[in-house]
Amino acid sequence: MVSIPGLTRRHLLAGTAASALILAIDPAALAAPMQDADAPPPDTEWRSYAADKANTRYSPLDQINAENFNDLEIAWSVKTDVFGARKEYQFEPTPLLVKGRLFLPAGSRRDCVALDAATGELLWMHRLDEGQRALNSPRQLSGHGVSYWTDGKIERILYVTIGYQLVSLDANTGIPDPNFGTNGIVDLKKDFDQELDVDTADVGLHATPMVARDTVVVGAAHTAGDVPAVRKNVKGYIRGFDVRTGKRKWIFHTIPKKGEFGYDTWLNGDADEAGNGGAWAEMSADEELGLIYVPVELPTGDEMGMFRRGNALFGESLVALDLETGQRHWHYQFVHHGLWDRDVPCAPILCDIPVGGRTVKALAQPTKQAFLYVLDRETGKPIWPIVERKVERGDVPGEWYSPTQPVPTKPPAYDVQGVSENDLIDFTPALRAKAVEFVKSYKIGPLFTPPTVSKPGRWGTISAPGVQGGTNWPGGCYDPETHMVYVYSKTQPSLMGIVPNADPKVSEFPQVHGVAGREARAMPAMGAGGPRMRNLEAPPAGAPAGGKPAGTSKGPPPGFLAVDGLPLLKPPYGRITAIDLSKGDLAWQVAHGETPDNVRNHPALKGLKIPRTGRAGNLGPLVTKTLVICGEAGFYTNEYGLRGAMLRAYDKATGEEKGAVYMTAPQSGSPMTYRLKGRQYIVVATGGGNASAELVAYRLPGVA
């Protein structure tokens, strides 16, 4: 069990005096003004979604450290209930911090707000009522964040609305910039190289626009493609706009047009009619190289590729584009003709690492498949060899299969890949035996085992990682001092069974993702991006024992991938991994998140000492001078009888837990940190379950 120091005690920090011996004096320093020894250290800022355009989510601050993390207390908190017509429960932003002000989107209408970073006081709010186009959007709620730009004189906050419009606001007042677009707004459904209905077109965005130099780059997202409604959906092109005027500077066709690079990787002209293929994730930028790095998703559909035959660039690729022109500089495709929904889910981390005695401008890309792909960011060439390995061909009628897939030789995978008997639950011999019997009614195999036709006796393929990863949109973080990447991942499989489409009104595809004997229209589950097919991944918290193990090869249709209500695969269900980029090795790995109540209290485990299992979710860690900090993804009931989650801190060198403080709800956005008037703050978005969204700021008591 974990104690809750923040609820039971408060420690005041003892003041300490420090002295220093000056061994050498730079003559130039003699001319500098004397600094008051008692003056607080300078304020810091957090000007980008993940701290910087390199997406490191790193801060050198160390006022909050291993010795005092347990003493953190809430400095202030802000509920987002008042922003929007209903409460928000999926609150995913990371705020920006500029000149003592926090900027973020909030609420069910995605209002853009500015808060006082010391008190949480609301400074201003901007709301755009978009009517029907917002109601029809595939990307609802507050989204991941906003962006900041300044030329040293004027300051702008830019964000994308639910209805897919780019807004530029005066950072001081929240008033739209009259020189940007039309009254401060650029309608992103126009000037898009395709004709769209502004109210109904299936396109939106959760991610922040990327501002680099004087260009704003905007991606696109769509309804999830498990059961794509149409073949000719909106194409998710990428565009760059002038940050001052809103004028379009360039467009990159993620689904190439005839005559463009990559068009010949599509067979039979499939590129002409395919849709999706957007960039729904965050992006990174290297302003010195003049490149922006764009993670691209699959064209339609996620597990069915019969209408995008061939390797079909730029699906599931990272593309480096020229910031000024949008021209492709290089690309790397991580999955050829993907059938597993392995969209590149997050921004790559830009890092300068030692390789062969020299420093290389590299990038590290976390992925849903739990590989960290490490590339030279100038050329796109792998730092360590990535080999093409033969993979199995599937049995879906009309499907096209790539004979090989790229597999990194370094670093090793940081989560479970594929499913074997060794991966199955093993708390007791009886549970293992049930799991072994259960999987006889499914296809299992290594990573890249294809989805299969779902039918009695074999209900499809159990795939790990599942369709959400591995790692998802929060991505990882990077310590430039030690060249270490820290990334959260979850061990949560998905069932991938393909069935004939029973209703052409549901989808134009003849084969769709589903379970034999169940019509596709009966299975939608709403997610952040709109309707998404339930993947039968795991039992809900508190689910009764059962899980419908098949029993025989002719057993009943499947329920959740569970054995007696426990997850099919053995823990950890969530983990944080440290990856050493100076060696290409895993440095350490810990289970992250307290054991769920329904596992801890399960009757089959009574009397057993179960190590912490971790929790499955979508989480982003923060790294500071000494700590890796990350909140938990789900609720649990602690020894005080309180239901909540913990914000945990680990020694960044060893992974040893150094502290944990109570949160009333799980982490839902990634944490950030800053120093203001001598005090370090950690701010994190929380929410979920029956706890509505809240932005919470922690600091130490009594720090001057």
Side-chain angles (χ1 to χ4, degrees):
M1 291 294 184
V2 180
S3 62
I4 313 176
L7 292 183
T8 60
R9 59 188 171 90
R10 288 287 183 266
H11 290 170
L12 294 177
L13 297 180
T16 59
S19 60
L21 175 65
I22 299 178
L23 300 179
I25 300 176
D26 184 342
L30 297 175
M34 294 294 291
Q35 185 172 359
D36 185 351
D38 295 326
D43 294 349
T44 63
E45 296 192 332
W46 187 281
R47 289 195 172 196
S48 296
Y49 167 79
D52 48 44
K53 293 176 177 61
N55 208 68
T56 63
R57 204 177 287 127
Y58 167 79
S59 170
L61 298 180
D62 63 352
Q63 184 183 88
I64 297 171
N65 53 51
E67 285 67 40
N68 58 33
F69 191 87
N70 280 341
D71 296 321
L72 287 176
E73 63 182 14
I74 294 176
W76 52 262
S77 65
V78 174
K79 280 277 192 183
T80 72
D81 294 357
V82 297
F83 302 115
R86 66 186 190 279
K87 293 182 179 180
E88 179 181 22
Y89 295 90
Q90 190 164 331
F91 186 45
E92 298 177 343
T94 299
L96 307 185
L97 186 282
V98 184
K99 299 179 181 178
R101 305 157 299 176
L102 290 169
F103 302 99
L104 69 153
S108 60
R109 284 200 180 96
R110 198 178 298 178
D111 299 335
C112 184
V113 302
L115 307 176
D116 185 300
T119 65
E121 179 187 1
L122 179 66
L123 302 177
W124 56 253
M125 178 193 79
H126 177 267
R127 171 179 293 168
L128 190 62
D129 186 357
E130 298 176 288
Q132 198 62 40
R133 67 184 288 162
L135 294 175
N136 292 334
S137 173
R139 302 286 157 155
Q140 300 282 335
L141 303 179
S142 54
H144 296 164
V146 302
S147 297
Y148 173 82
W149 174 86
T150 183
D151 62 359
K153 297 179 181 179
I154 60 175
E155 298 177 285
R156 295 291 179 261
I157 298 297
L158 298 104
Y159 77 107
V160 177
T161 66
I162 291 175
Y164 203 50
Q165 299 189 84
L166 177 63
V167 181
S168 179
L169 306 173
D170 186 309
N172 294 305
T173 65
I175 297 173
D177 177 3
N179 298 314
F180 185 88
T182 302
N183 299 320
I185 300 171
V186 171
D187 190 334
L188 294 171
K189 291 185 179 180
K190 299 178 180 179
D191 202 10
F192 203 11
D193 286 11
Q194 54 193 313
E195 293 298 323
L196 302 179
D197 185 293
V198 296
D199 285 339
T200 62
D202 182 50
V203 61
L205 193 65
H206 272 148
T208 63
M210 168 54 78
V211 181
R213 294 184 179 171
D214 291 338
T215 301
V216 187
V217 183
V218 180
H222 316 277
T223 300
D226 298 75
V227 182
V230 295
R231 293 173 58 183
K232 299 180 181 180
N233 200 28
V234 179
K235 296 176 187 285
Y237 298 149
I238 314 302
R239 284 167 292 174
F241 299 89
D242 186 292
V243 73
R244 290 183 171 86
T245 67
K247 181 180 179 181
R248 192 184 97 176
K249 298 173 70 172
W250 52 261
I251 188 168
F252 177 76
H253 299 137
T254 52
I255 299 174
K257 292 179 175 287
K258 191 171 185 178
E260 294 181 340
F261 181 92
Y263 183 82
D264 59 359
T265 64
W266 296 67
L267 304 180
N268 306 306
D270 283 355
D272 298 335
E273 295 191 350
N276 291 38
W280 55 260
E282 304 297 327
M283 304 176 190
S284 303
D286 186 325
E287 293 182 312
E288 181 180 338
L289 294 177
L291 296 177
I292 185 160
Y293 303 93
V294 181
V296 181
E297 65 160 358
L298 275 172
T300 46
D302 288 347
E303 287 97 30
M304 298 78 59
M306 59 277 297
F307 296 128
R308 49 176 173 81
R309 290 159 288 186
N311 284 346
L313 291 176
F314 293 92
E316 295 183 329
S317 300
L318 185 68
V319 185
L321 302 177
D322 185 285
L323 263 172
E324 301 302 326
T325 67
Q327 292 295 307
R328 183 192 67 90
H329 193 67
W330 58 259
H331 77 277
Y332 196 93
Q333 189 173 54
F334 299 120
V335 183
H336 307 318
H337 188 82
L339 301 170
W340 302 269
D341 194 4
R342 303 290 191 215
D343 298 343
V344 189
C346 55
I349 298 165
L350 310 189
C351 46
D352 297 342
I353 62 174
V355 178
R358 64 189 183 93
T359 299
V360 175
K361 292 182 180 296
L363 61 79
Q365 178 67 67
T367 58
K368 286 185 176 181
Q369 53 268 38
F371 275 134
L372 186 74
Y373 295 82
V374 186
L375 308 176
D376 185 311
R377 70 175 183 269
E378 293 187 90
T379 65
K381 302 297 183 184
I383 298 299
W384 296 285
I386 299 177
V387 297
E388 291 287 337
R389 291 187 178 167
K390 291 183 178 180
V391 294
E392 182 180 350
R393 181 181 177 88
D395 63 354
V396 176
E399 187 57 87
W400 188 92
Y401 295 94
S402 173
T404 65
Q405 293 292 348
V407 176
T409 56
K410 279 190 171 187
Y414 55 84
D415 210 305
V416 173
Q417 291 184 326
V419 178
S420 69
E421 284 193 11
N422 187 55
D423 300 310
L424 303 179
I425 185 173
D426 63 354
F427 291 131
T428 68
L431 289 169
R432 165 55 68 91
K434 288 184 177 181
V436 170
E437 190 65 24
F438 182 93
V439 299
K440 289 180 180 179
S441 292
Y442 302 84
K443 183 174 180 61
I444 61 173
L447 186 70
F448 298 121
T449 297
T452 50
V453 172
S454 178
K455 56 188 176 183
R458 191 182 70 174
W459 303 107
T461 299
I462 300 176
S463 180
V467 295
Q468 290 193 359
T471 301
N472 207 281
W473 59 267
C477 57
Y478 172 73
D479 181 0
E481 298 178 6
T482 62
H483 308 296
M484 203 80 72
V485 165
Y486 303 93
V487 62
Y488 169 87
S489 61
K490 62 182 176 183
T491 303
Q492 191 177 55
S494 289
L495 175 58
M496 295 186 173
I498 308 301
V499 298
N501 179 24
D503 188 349
K505 295 179 181 178
V506 170
S507 174
E508 293 179 358
F509 279 56
Q511 307 284 333
V512 294
H513 179 206
V515 178
R518 303 182 188 184
E519 293 184 2
R521 64 173 175 269
M523 297 180 60
M526 292 301 294
R532 187 176 188 86
M533 293 301 294
R534 184 186 302 278
N535 283 290
L536 309 179
E537 293 173 339
K548 292 187 179 178
T552 70
S553 62
K554 297 295 184 180
F560 290 104
L561 294 178
V563 176
D564 289 352
L566 294 168
L568 177 65
L569 301 188
K570 61 187 178 184
Y573 308 130
R575 64 190 83 196
I576 292 176
T577 305
I579 304 173
D580 187 345
L581 293 189
S582 67
K583 301 175 181 177
D585 296 333
L586 305 188
W588 54 258
Q589 190 172 81
V590 296
H592 178 66
E594 191 52 73
T595 303
D597 290 354
N598 66 312
V599 175
R600 186 191 306 110
N601 302 324
H602 197 283
L605 306 183
K606 188 175 182 180
L608 297 180
K609 188 175 182 180
I610 305 295
R612 183 182 293 167
T613 64
R615 298 287 301 242
N618 292 325
L619 296 172
L622 162 72
V623 60
T624 68
K625 184 73 174 178
T626 58
L627 300 175
V628 175
I629 300 168
C630 193
E632 294 180 332
F635 290 93
Y636 82 101
T637 305
N638 60 37
E639 67 266 42
Y640 298 95
L642 295 176
R643 192 166 181 265
M646 303 299 285
L647 181 67
R648 300 188 184 275
Y650 304 92
D651 185 301
K652 75 178 186 182
T654 66
E656 179 185 358
E657 185 170 315
K658 292 298 185 180
V661 293
Y662 174 77
M663 304 187 297
T664 57
Q667 174 177 310
S668 53
S670 301
M672 52 86 73
T673 189
Y674 55 89
R675 182 173 58 215
L676 185 65
K677 297 179 182 178
R679 308 185 75 172
Q680 183 182 353
Y681 294 74
I682 295 173
V683 175
V684 61
T686 67
N690 59 358
S692 59
E694 188 170 13
L695 191 69
V696 185
Y698 293 90
R699 70 184 178 197
L700 295 169
V703 178

